[in-house]
Amino acid sequence: MKKPIVSAPFHPVGMLLIGLLMAQVLATIQVYLSNIDLYATVSAANEAGYLAIPNQQVMGGLQYFAPAFFGGLFFTFTIGAGITLGTMAAVWIWTQVFLSNKLILFIFLFAWVGVLLFVNIHGFCLIPTLYFLLIPPVLFKLATRRKAHRASSSSRLQRLVHLIPIPLLAVLWFTQFDRAMFLDLRDNLLLSNPAGRKFSDFYYTYTLYPAEAFKSQDQKIIKTCGLENIQTRSINLNLQSKLAANGYLLLPDTDQVDLKIIQKEDNLVFRSGERLVFQIPVNQFLSDSRKTLQKFSQQIDRNTSFRQITFLSLLFGFPVLIYMVLHAVLYYLFILFLDRKAAAVTASIMCLLSGISVLAYFQLNRSDNVSIKEISHALGSDNWQTRVAALKTIQQEKLEISDYRTYPRLLKSRILQERYWLARALAFSRRSDTYADLLTFLNDKNTNVRCMAFYSLGLRQNASAIKPILKRIKMSDNWYSQMYAYNALRSLGWKQPKLP
């Protein structure tokens, strides 16, 4: 009688990597196609004499492979991780809990079809559909085959023990969830160390490429439009004014625009490419153009469901992905000294302890609330988190930052989190000398600080900031900074030049 073959130690991270690889291929294609469309749009806007965002220093990269690949990592580690982990969980539940019951399998199949329909409920989306159409079947087949061929003497209880840290950590971290959590994570876990700052720089360099791939029309910085068959000069001028006020750039070539408006008698027909979206009376659009354009954006937006699933994947899929990768590293390390079962259990315990340790560090370093009476004392603290907490209170209460004697020292801070929140607090200062100080932050070496300086200049409503902001846009090689600068210009009342 032959002895059973004992397979080499295997970790489910292998299945995870297969799913992520498939997602990365699709994500790269998705972002590349979006980049090509955006390049055509910004090129047309630039040739027409408009200020294009991204500018000429950045737009050339839209045609290259690298931005599409690195930008695609966002979708890989969000939607890709979510789909992959969801499929792996479904296989585990079907095989281990329901013992491969065929009725349960049909329920999972119906759920899968339901997700496909949900993704396309606002109109067919090719690449988002392919994520859900291709990845789950491949992983399901591979995972069930591995389950069928792997002999395991572990009890069901032992296998459940490996999953306990994930929901436990999720519950513990949920206690920290609030509106400020992501900013605090950035300040305390990323910007507080060299590796985290490199990751942050990478994120802000490439994040807008995937963002552009699934934004709604209303969320885009550069939106183009064309007018056809407008019957009177007064209506034409009114339409141009309303469209410009809502960020739409009028282009002479109406075949390459996001929105085409055609007048038919007393109505305006709104078209997106060859698709007729709706038509409304001229007077109705002129009386409430913002509402009409929002309606247009909603009706042509096919990515609403995809954005929702991506956000959920960011909240749940990405943290579990980090957990599994860490678990795999520890597992293959411990298996050098322990047997497979002991290595897996030890890795789970270490991951749980690591998650709790990071949570404790995060909780201890989160900015506490500082009352108005405590601001002066807090700004003089040796702890930068305490000073940041005071700056947050100043910003929230719209206080005059330069009234505090520590203000000159804050301007020279080497702590970028402190400079970020100082730039944000300067939005509510009305003194001319603080305006000059805020301008200096436009030259800060950190993207976050520069962006917040642009944001604050927009809130201060000082039109003299328009010229230096325009100068920074033309010099900038960072798309993220350009976006904040452009929004600041619009907040200051700046308008794109009219076509000659």
Side-chain angles (χ1 to χ4, degrees):
M1 182 177 179
K2 293 183 179 180
K3 294 182 179 181
I5 298 175
V6 179
S7 60
F10 184 86
H11 192 279
V13 76
M15 300 297 300
L16 178 63
L17 293 177
I18 293 173
L20 294 181
L21 179 60
M22 294 179 66
Q24 179 62 27
V25 173
L26 293 171
T28 301
I29 295 172
Q30 182 182 14
V31 177
Y32 181 77
L33 293 176
S34 171
N35 287 351
I36 294 301
D37 287 342
L38 180 60
Y39 179 78
T41 297
V42 294
S43 295
N46 187 65
E47 291 173 4
Y50 294 114
L51 175 65
I53 303 295
N55 65 11
Q56 290 183 329
Q57 293 191 56
V58 176
M59 72 168 66
L62 293 169
Q63 303 176 90
Y64 300 149
F65 172 79
F69 178 83
F70 292 125
L73 291 172
F74 172 80
F75 288 129
T76 298
F77 293 130
T78 53
I79 193 71
I83 295 173
T84 300
L85 292 168
T87 304
M88 293 171 65
V91 172
W92 189 89
I93 293 171
W94 182 57
T95 58
Q96 302 300 319
V97 178
F98 294 103
L99 304 177
S100 303
N101 184 286
K102 291 185 177 180
L103 177 60
I104 301 300
L105 177 60
F106 280 113
I107 294 176
F108 279 130
L109 289 174
F110 279 122
W112 176 48
V113 173
V115 172
L116 285 170
L117 293 175
F118 177 70
V119 170
N120 293 285
I121 195 170
H122 299 286
F124 180 69
C125 305
L126 178 59
I127 302 297
T129 299
L130 291 177
Y131 284 112
F132 292 92
L133 190 64
L134 299 180
I135 298 175
V138 172
L139 291 184
F140 197 90
K141 183 67 175 179
L142 292 175
T144 52
R145 180 178 297 178
R146 186 175 73 87
K147 292 287 185 182
H149 287 82
R150 191 187 68 179
S152 175
S153 59
S154 298
S155 68
R156 185 177 300 180
L157 179 60
Q158 287 175 317
R159 293 193 290 271
L160 282 171
V161 168
H162 296 310
L163 298 178
I164 290 176
I166 296 178
L168 180 58
L169 287 172
V171 171
L172 291 174
W173 273 94
F174 186 76
T175 62
Q176 301 298 307
F177 188 80
D178 56 32
R179 295 180 62 182
M181 179 177 175
F182 289 108
L183 287 177
D184 287 343
L185 282 171
R186 181 203 63 188
D187 287 349
N188 293 289
L189 297 184
L190 292 181
L191 300 183
S192 60
N193 61 87
R197 287 193 290 271
K198 287 183 181 296
F199 176 84
S200 179
D201 289 342
F202 179 88
Y203 174 83
Y204 287 108
T205 299
Y206 292 105
T207 187
L208 290 182
Y209 294 97
E212 198 70 28
F214 69 163
K215 278 183 177 180
S216 68
Q217 179 67 21
D218 206 40
Q219 293 172 325
K220 293 182 178 180
I221 296 293
I222 299 298
K223 299 170 283 193
T224 59
C225 63
L227 300 175
E228 284 188 10
N229 197 38
I230 307 304
Q231 296 173 7
T232 67
R233 175 177 171 80
S234 62
I235 293 178
N236 192 305
L237 292 175
N238 282 332
L239 288 175
Q240 290 186 36
S241 176
K242 296 293 184 181
L243 290 165
N246 287 280
Y248 279 84
L249 308 181
L250 186 65
L251 296 183
D253 186 356
T254 57
D255 291 329
Q256 297 181 357
V257 293
D258 300 313
L259 165 63
K260 184 188 297 185
I261 300 178
I262 305 170
Q263 185 174 0
K264 289 187 177 180
E265 298 179 352
D266 293 331
N267 291 326
L268 295 176
V269 178
F270 284 67
R271 301 185 70 93
S272 174
E274 298 302 320
R275 175 189 171 192
L276 192 156
V277 182
F278 59 77
Q279 63 179 8
I280 62 170
V282 175
N283 291 336
Q284 182 178 337
F285 174 72
L286 295 178
S287 64
D288 196 350
S289 58
R290 180 60 181 162
K291 182 178 180 181
T292 302
L293 291 170
Q294 286 179 338
K295 176 184 176 182
F296 172 78
S297 175
Q298 291 170 358
Q299 294 200 11
I300 67 170
D301 184 10
R302 299 181 179 182
N303 289 309
T304 302
S305 300
F306 184 66
R307 284 197 301 272
Q308 293 171 351
I309 298 176
T310 301
F311 178 71
L312 290 175
S313 297
L314 176 63
L315 288 180
F316 300 104
F318 183 65
V320 176
L321 168 65
I322 294 175
Y323 176 92
M324 287 194 64
V325 171
L326 176 61
H327 191 282
V329 172
L330 294 174
Y331 171 75
Y332 285 113
L333 176 64
F334 292 137
I335 208 169
L336 298 175
F337 314 100
L338 306 171
D339 62 53
R340 182 176 61 82
K341 295 178 185 178
V345 171
T346 305
S348 296
I349 294 172
M350 291 302 296
C351 283
L352 176 61
L353 294 177
S354 298
I356 294 175
S357 298
V358 174
L359 175 61
Y361 174 84
F362 174 68
Q363 170 61 25
L364 290 173
N365 288 281
R366 288 196 79 175
S367 300
D368 296 326
N369 292 326
V370 173
S371 67
I372 295 178
K373 294 180 180 180
E374 298 172 325
I375 290 177
S376 294
H377 177 72
L379 288 177
S381 171
D382 292 333
N383 181 273
W384 70 262
Q385 288 94 343
T386 303
R387 300 195 298 271
V388 164
L391 290 171
K392 289 181 179 179
T393 301
I394 292 172
Q395 177 258 325
Q396 291 166 0
E397 301 296 330
K398 301 181 180 180
L399 304 177
E400 177 56 61
I401 178 63
S402 63
D403 284 343
Y404 298 92
R405 58 183 178 82
T406 52
Y407 173 67
R409 191 180 72 181
L410 293 173
L411 289 172
K412 300 177 182 179
S413 174
R414 294 183 178 181
I415 307 297
L416 68 91
Q417 297 95 319
E418 195 169 4
R419 299 198 305 273
Y420 171 91
W421 288 103
L422 175 58
R424 191 160 180 168
L426 282 169
F428 304 104
S429 174
R430 291 296 176 264
R431 296 181 179 174
S432 58
D433 53 341
T434 61
Y435 166 75
D437 293 333
L438 187 54
L439 287 179
T440 62
F441 282 118
L442 297 182
N443 300 319
D444 197 277
K445 60 183 179 180
N446 182 263
T447 300
N448 300 93
V449 178
R450 293 196 305 273
C451 289
M452 196 45 53
F454 286 124
Y455 174 77
S456 295
L457 285 172
L459 290 181
R460 288 183 68 133
Q461 294 295 299
N462 187 338
S464 62
I466 292 176
K467 187 174 181 180
I469 291 176
L470 284 170
K471 179 181 177 181
R472 294 320 192 283
I473 289 179
K474 294 176 181 178
M475 295 170 51
S476 173
D477 61 356
N478 184 277
W479 186 0
Y480 211 86
S481 296
Q482 294 169 34
M483 179 186 69
Y484 269 83
Y486 188 84
N487 288 333
L489 287 175
R490 288 184 53 78
S491 297
L492 293 171
W494 173 86
K495 294 180 181 180
Q496 287 274 11
K498 294 183 178 180
L499 286 173

